[in-house]
Amino acid sequence: MKRIFSGVQPTGNLHLGNYLGAIKNWVSLQKDFECIFCIVDLHAITIKQDPKELESNTLEVTAAYLASGINPKKTIIFNQSSVYAHTELTWLLSCFTPIGWLNRMTQFKEKAGKKKDAAVLGLYSYPVLMASDILAYKATHVPVGEDQKQHLELARDIANTFNQTYSNNFFPLPEPQIFGEATRVMSLRNGEDKMSKSDESDYSRINITDTKDLINLKIQKAKTDPHSLPSKKEELENRPEAANLLGIYSALKNEKLDKVIKEMSGKDFLSFKKLLAELTISKIEPISKKMNDYLKNKDYLKKILKEGKEKADDISSKNLLEIKKIIGLLII
Ligand code: TYM
């Protein structure tokens, strides 16, 4: 059986990186897979959150999923904290995770910065919670952006350790699905940095909720280089900003990068940016409009989450029980 699990943190605005690296791909995967898409609120609290904002961001991400084309009739949508198996399995799997593996995680190093000792335990053990999200459903495939690759490798290692400990194949080893022309969307202010919710400059990213005018302005202001657009992929090597903008264009247009490079070859940035802004607005505006409509009906969004929670609970509680039995925990 092929089953997908993936998730997004409800921390602030969703941006073009989340959309192109993850959510856009999820929509098409619904055809061939049983899908479970989560709003990972427990991951969000590894960094300080305002309680009111966390709650409203959870509904916003739910609305963004629906507005992008995730179909709640086919796909399970729920928020992580509503299903207890995630946290319980995190404890169990943390007993199969050597500390040395966690010490290698680059995201922890980046987020904790120089104040490693002051970082909270949850931020450090975050990848074990992520492994539990996936393994609680015995998911076989995980569609994510490039930045989650290391966490997924860890999830596979944990699953493998569990299987080997008990000489079984209880957990499938989850396969990463990192595809499309924008697996790592970069900041509009600096082509060497990832586009991220935590960047101080709002001009570094395009938010799904940005107005037409703001999208135009952000693209106009995006950093470029003094050359015109290249005719070959190889010529993008030391031109991170050009590579990023062309990657965004081809992902939004659903065209291969090579084809887009041919089309745009020799154009100056001014005219390319005009096309890019038009294309971005044409893809993002309908999503933000639908999102706003969904957000007017919070009861409907909560109903979707509740139905999703029940289905998610059903699958994960059965798996959790099996796991506890395998470990030898007495079930009363
Ligand atoms: P999060 O909330 O940071 O990001 C959600 C998804 O968006 C992708 N992404 C990007 N893709 C391309 N370019 C970018 N600049 C960019 N920024 C973000 C991420 O790769 C991700 O797919 N730990 C995860 C959430 C999570 C999860 C899981 C994912 C929790 N449990 C289980 C898969 C399976 C995270 O923080 O994603």
Side-chain angles (χ1 to χ4, degrees):
M1 193 197 43
K2 296 193 292 180
R3 179 181 282 157
I4 277 181
F5 185 98
S6 199
V8 171
Q9 294 190 54
T11 43
N13 281 327
L14 290 191
H15 53 69
L16 205 54
N18 300 128
Y19 179 64
L20 295 177
I23 303 173
K24 180 173 177 284
N25 294 335
W26 300 357
V27 175
S28 51
L29 289 165
Q30 291 178 108
K31 270 201 309 293
D32 300 319
F33 291 83
E34 178 193 344
C35 293
I36 305 174
F37 295 131
C38 188
I39 296 107
V40 289
D41 48 8
L42 295 173
H43 276 105
I45 61 166
T46 56
I47 285 177
K48 200 168 168 215
Q49 300 293 333
D50 174 83
K52 283 224 160 60
E53 272 179 31
L54 178 60
E55 203 182 299
S56 69
N57 284 338
T58 302
L59 292 175
E60 266 201 29
V61 176
T62 311
Y65 283 6
L66 299 178
S68 305
I70 305 297
N71 176 0
K73 292 208 174 81
K74 245 186 131 227
T75 290
I76 300 176
I77 302 173
F78 72 104
N79 63 316
Q80 189 185 29
S81 61
S82 68
V83 174
Y84 74 91
H86 295 245
T87 42
E88 192 167 340
L89 187 55
T90 299
W91 176 257
L92 301 178
L93 294 184
S94 71
C95 299
F96 294 82
T97 310
I99 289 172
W101 291 358
L102 292 178
N103 287 340
R104 289 206 290 270
M105 296 295 114
T106 51
Q107 188 171 294
F108 173 75
K109 288 182 200 161
E110 278 162 25
K111 287 198 176 167
K114 291 201 180 89
K115 297 182 186 147
K116 227 165 118 191
D117 285 350
V120 296
L121 180 59
L123 190 65
Y124 184 63
S125 60
Y126 172 121
V128 187
L129 176 60
M130 182 160 158
S132 305
D133 295 340
I134 300 164
L135 299 175
Y137 301 89
K138 295 174 133 191
T140 54
H141 293 80
V142 186
V144 283
E146 172 81 37
D147 61 335
Q148 295 300 317
K149 200 168 163 197
Q150 195 186 34
H151 290 157
L152 278 185
E153 278 159 12
L154 184 86
R156 284 169 67 90
D157 288 342
I158 295 174
N160 194 34
T161 303
F162 183 92
N163 290 351
Q164 286 192 349
T165 305
Y166 300 105
S167 308
N168 62 23
N169 283 318
F170 183 79
F171 289 124
L173 302 187
E175 293 274 346
Q177 291 174 307
I178 300 173
F179 61 85
E181 297 293 355
T183 55
R184 188 174 179 83
V185 178
M186 308 308 277
S187 155
L188 299 182
R189 306 302 278 166
N190 177 357
E192 315 266 8
D193 291 344
K194 193 180 71 169
M195 184 179 284
S196 127
K197 291 171 197 167
S198 52
D199 194 314
E200 274 172 20
S201 166
D202 194 51
Y203 280 83
S204 68
R205 62 186 160 257
I206 295 197
N207 302 307
I208 302 226
T209 48
D210 282 347
T211 61
K212 216 169 160 168
D213 291 346
L214 195 53
I215 295 177
N216 243 323
L217 190 63
K218 285 180 176 178
I219 292 181
Q220 258 176 46
K221 280 183 174 274
K223 187 176 170 201
T224 52
D225 58 42
H227 311 289
S228 54
L229 290 172
S231 57
K232 286 197 226 84
K233 218 180 200 169
E234 298 73 54
E235 292 168 40
L236 282 174
E237 217 161 82
N238 292 313
R239 301 183 60 186
E241 285 82 19
N244 188 38
L245 297 181
L246 284 164
I248 293 174
Y249 188 93
S250 56
L252 284 170
K253 193 106 199 255
N254 288 319
E255 271 177 5
K256 287 265 165 250
L257 184 59
D258 287 317
K259 186 165 178 238
V260 168
I261 291 176
K262 264 198 201 121
E263 263 171 52
M264 299 298 162
S265 165
K267 272 199 196 312
D268 56 39
F269 275 105
L270 196 69
S271 43
F272 171 60
K273 280 180 167 181
K274 232 177 131 203
L275 295 173
L276 178 61
E278 275 166 22
L279 177 65
T280 310
I281 291 165
S282 76
K283 300 285 177 178
I284 296 302
E285 213 186 20
I287 299 178
S288 75
K289 278 199 176 128
K290 278 191 204 151
M291 229 180 114
N292 284 334
D293 287 343
Y294 281 120
L295 283 168
K296 283 183 199 138
N297 192 348
K298 302 226 161 63
D299 286 343
Y300 174 72
L301 295 174
K302 287 182 188 163
K303 182 173 152 266
I304 297 288
L305 291 176
K306 191 157 188 290
E307 285 167 7
K309 166 212 149 90
E310 276 156 18
K311 292 182 204 156
D313 236 344
D314 205 40
I315 304 172
S316 58
S317 61
K318 286 187 186 119
N319 286 336
L320 187 64
L321 196 65
E322 289 288 308
I323 295 164
K324 289 167 87 169
K325 280 187 195 154
I326 293 172
I327 295 176
L329 298 167
L330 181 66
I331 313 291
I332 306 284

